[in-house]
Amino acid sequence: MPLLDTPVRFGVQIQPQHTPYDGIRDAVRRLEDLGVDILFNWDHFFPLTGEPDGLHFESWTMLGAWAEQTERVEFGALVNCNSYRNADLQADMARTIDHISAKGGDTGRFIFGTGAGWFQRDYDEYGYEFGTPGSRLDDLAAGLERVEARWAKLNPAPTRKIPVMIGGKGEQKTLRLVARHADIWHSFVRPDEIAHKVDVIERWAEREGRDTSNLVISNEVYGHGVEHGDALYDAGARLITFGFRGPDFDFELIESWLRWRDSKNA
C-alpha cells in the first residue's frame, strides 16, 4: 500500500494564463508566505481555458525564476510534457533548477512532474509530432529511462534524488510507468476509484520488482469543498492540489484549504 503514515501536503497549481507575470510572481510570494507546501505550474504554450489566444507563459523558464525567488516551498510542473524537449535536456534542466533552488546548504526543492502530453494545439503550432496516445506513452517510457540515466552522469549530480511525479490513470501503460519510476502518482480520479488504481500499481510493481510502499498519492480538488478533501484523504491521498486561477487570485480560499490540511495533521 502506498505511503499513508505521512503528513498531508497542500499544493497549488498557479495557472500560467490570463495573468501578467507580475501577478504570478506576487502569487508565488504570497502562497509561500501562507505556508503552501508545493507550487506547480503547467507545461503548455497556450491557455487551456478562456480566451484561446490570451496571455500565457512557458513552464520551465518560469520554474527557474521560482527556484531563485522561493526559499522553502517545493515546486515543479504539473506536469511537464515529455514530447516538447529532448529527454537528456529535461534531465539537465531539472538538475540545474534543483541546484538553483538549494539555499543555505539545504538540498534542492524541485519535483520532476512529467506526462505524455495531450494538447494538440501545442504540438501543431510548435512543430512537434502529435502521434497517438500510445506512441506518446511509449516516448514517455523511453524518456524516463534517459532522464534517470542522465541524472546518474551529470556533474555536479542533483543535490538529492529528484522526486518523480507521473500524472495519469491508464492501467496498461501509465500506471506501469508509475510503478517503475514514480515517487508521486497524480490523477483526477474519484476517491472511490483510488483503491482500484492503487491495486493496479501494486500489481505492476510486483512485476517490475519495485517497492511502492513510499509512493505518495496526489489528487486535485479544484472546484470542490473540503468534504471532497476528506474523501480523498480517507482513500489514501496525501498530496492535495488546487488549481489557482488569476488574475484575481482568491487567497482566502487557499487559507481555508490550509486550515483543512492542518486539521488533518494535528
Side-chain angles (χ1 to χ4, degrees):
M1 179 68 186
L3 192 63
L4 298 179
D5 186 19
T6 187
V8 177
R9 294 191 295 166
F10 184 72
V12 174
Q13 183 188 51
I14 301 175
Q15 299 180 359
Q17 61 177 8
H18 306 310
T19 305
Y21 192 74
D22 282 352
I24 293 173
R25 182 188 294 113
D26 180 65
V28 168
R29 177 186 60 80
R30 293 183 65 178
L31 290 168
E32 183 171 47
D33 289 347
L34 284 173
V36 166
D37 298 295
I38 305 175
L39 295 177
F40 297 109
N41 62 17
W42 66 39
D43 188 19
H44 295 287
F45 305 130
F46 301 94
L48 299 185
T49 61
E51 168 54 47
D53 294 314
L55 298 179
H56 198 278
F57 294 98
E58 194 275 329
S59 172
W60 279 84
T61 44
M62 183 183 296
L63 294 173
W66 292 5
E68 192 62 62
Q69 176 185 349
T70 58
E71 298 289 335
R72 174 196 56 80
V73 71
E74 290 190 290
F75 63 96
L78 185 59
V79 288
N80 164 70
C81 178
N82 175 73
S83 304
Y84 300 160
R85 301 161 195 89
N86 171 281
D88 292 85
L89 174 61
Q90 293 176 52
D92 205 340
M93 293 164 70
R95 181 279 311 255
T96 299
I97 292 176
D98 166 70
H99 276 265
I100 294 170
S101 68
K103 308 286 179 69
D106 292 335
T107 57
R109 294 171 285 116
F110 181 70
I111 294 173
F112 183 68
T114 193
W118 62 272
F119 190 41
Q120 187 166 355
R121 185 182 180 190
D122 285 346
Y123 287 80
D124 291 346
E125 295 217 26
Y126 277 62
Y128 300 110
E129 181 180 351
F130 189 54
T132 66
S135 69
R136 294 194 299 275
L137 281 165
D138 290 342
D139 289 344
L140 176 61
L144 282 163
E145 298 287 348
R146 289 173 58 188
V147 166
E148 293 178 348
R150 181 57 56 186
W151 279 339
K153 298 176 182 178
L154 289 169
N155 183 18
T159 68
R160 64 172 180 169
K161 181 189 181 299
I162 296 175
V164 173
M165 168 188 276
I166 296 177
K169 65 178 184 177
E171 297 183 6
Q172 295 305 309
K173 291 189 175 184
T174 302
L175 295 188
R176 186 170 192 174
L177 293 177
V178 170
R180 185 183 299 164
H181 297 282
D183 302 289
I184 305 167
W185 167 53
H186 180 82
S187 79
F188 297 84
V189 302
R190 298 190 313 269
D192 61 3
E193 295 179 275
I194 288 177
H196 169 70
K197 297 295 185 182
V198 167
D199 182 63
V200 173
I201 292 169
E202 290 179 335
R203 284 188 274 118
W204 278 125
E206 184 175 357
R207 291 184 60 175
E208 295 287 335
R210 183 167 183 255
D211 178 10
T212 55
S213 61
N214 288 324
L215 181 70
V216 174
I217 298 170
S218 170
N219 207 294
E220 171 78 30
V221 293
Y222 180 77
H224 295 285
V226 295
E227 68 282 353
H228 190 71
D230 289 339
L232 288 171
Y233 178 87
D234 291 342
R238 292 298 180 268
L239 173 56
I240 302 300
T241 63
F242 186 89
F244 206 33
R245 293 184 180 181
D248 299 317
F249 294 110
D250 184 354
F251 292 95
E252 290 184 0
L253 190 56
I254 299 302
E255 290 174 335
S256 70
W257 275 104
L258 290 172
R259 289 191 293 272
W260 174 87
R261 176 202 65 185
D262 293 344
S263 72
K264 292 299 183 187
N265 292 335

